[in-house]
Amino acid sequence: MNALFCAAACRRDSNRHRNLRKTQKDLPDMLTLHSLRNLVIAGLVGEISFEIYAWLISPVLFGVALAPANLVIALIKIAFGVTLPHWAGFLVHFTIGAVGFGAFVWLTHLVTRVNLVLSGALAGFVLWFVAQGVLAPVVGRSFMMGFGAYTQSSFIGHVGMATLMGYVMVRLQTRQARIAA
């Protein structure tokens, strides 16, 4: 009985090591120039789409324009005592969105091992929750801002943006693979 248990445990450990080696082989691919370029392109497409949604579509659908720059301005004032002008808050949010959120979609993909589009949707949900459920209360707003129109629109904006980022990453990877073949 002990021999069977040991054999099963050794096989399980061997599979873990094999999976770890496979994961470690996959990680350098993320750090190639092409992968980083794809991540930035997907991030820019997603963030630009988010801003178009926030300023043009959200007011029509929900009666409210999303203004995440205001959250950035408030957080920086709390953390550093500096009041940024609106354009600087917008630039900070745009940069974090284009680079950081794209990277977060990729990281979600690496951790969950689900396809990039679903990883984008998961990442978008997390980003939405962090923005509305964690950061908004830090600056004095209610938790999830009362689940009102702003929060609902923000959900669509964040999930849509990150899902689009995942989709663009898939399309760019597919294109790159076709060119390499």
Side-chain angles (χ1 to χ4, degrees):
M1 186 71 163
N2 280 341
L4 289 175
F5 176 77
C6 182
C10 290
R11 192 173 320 118
R12 185 178 62 236
D13 287 345
S14 175
N15 287 338
R16 283 185 193 153
H17 291 294
R18 189 176 314 117
N19 289 338
L20 179 60
R21 282 193 306 270
K22 182 178 184 275
T23 301
Q24 288 171 340
K25 283 185 211 171
D26 292 344
L27 286 176
D29 289 346
M30 181 182 80
L31 302 175
T32 67
L33 189 57
H34 284 297
S35 296
L36 289 174
R37 181 203 63 164
N38 291 351
L39 189 143
V40 170
I41 290 170
L44 284 169
V45 169
E47 184 59 29
I48 289 168
S49 298
F50 178 87
E51 295 302 335
I52 291 169
Y53 170 80
W55 292 74
L56 301 176
I57 300 170
S58 177
V60 173
L61 295 178
F62 290 92
V64 61
L66 301 178
N70 293 335
L71 180 61
V72 171
I73 292 166
L75 288 168
I76 290 175
K77 179 152 178 102
I78 290 168
F80 302 110
V82 176
T83 303
L84 291 180
H86 190 270
W87 68 265
F90 176 85
L91 186 61
V92 169
H93 183 269
F94 187 90
T95 304
I96 291 170
V99 179
F101 295 174
F104 187 61
V105 169
W106 186 259
L107 180 63
T108 302
H109 169 67
L110 290 177
V111 171
T112 63
R113 299 318 244 166
V114 297
N115 70 61
L116 277 162
V117 176
L118 182 55
S119 293
L122 293 171
F125 178 81
V126 170
L127 293 168
W128 167 74
F129 183 83
V130 168
Q132 301 297 311
V134 177
L135 298 177
V138 166
V139 301
R141 298 176 185 148
S142 62
F143 175 74
M144 300 304 280
M145 296 176 64
F147 289 97
Y150 192 95
T151 303
Q152 294 169 32
S153 181
S154 176
F155 174 80
I156 291 171
H158 283 90
V159 173
M161 167 194 66
T163 301
L164 180 59
M165 287 177 183
Y167 176 77
V168 171
M169 287 179 200
V170 168
R171 298 295 297 166
L172 290 171
Q173 285 178 347
T174 303
R175 181 174 173 252
Q176 183 178 332
R178 269 198 314 257
I179 291 170

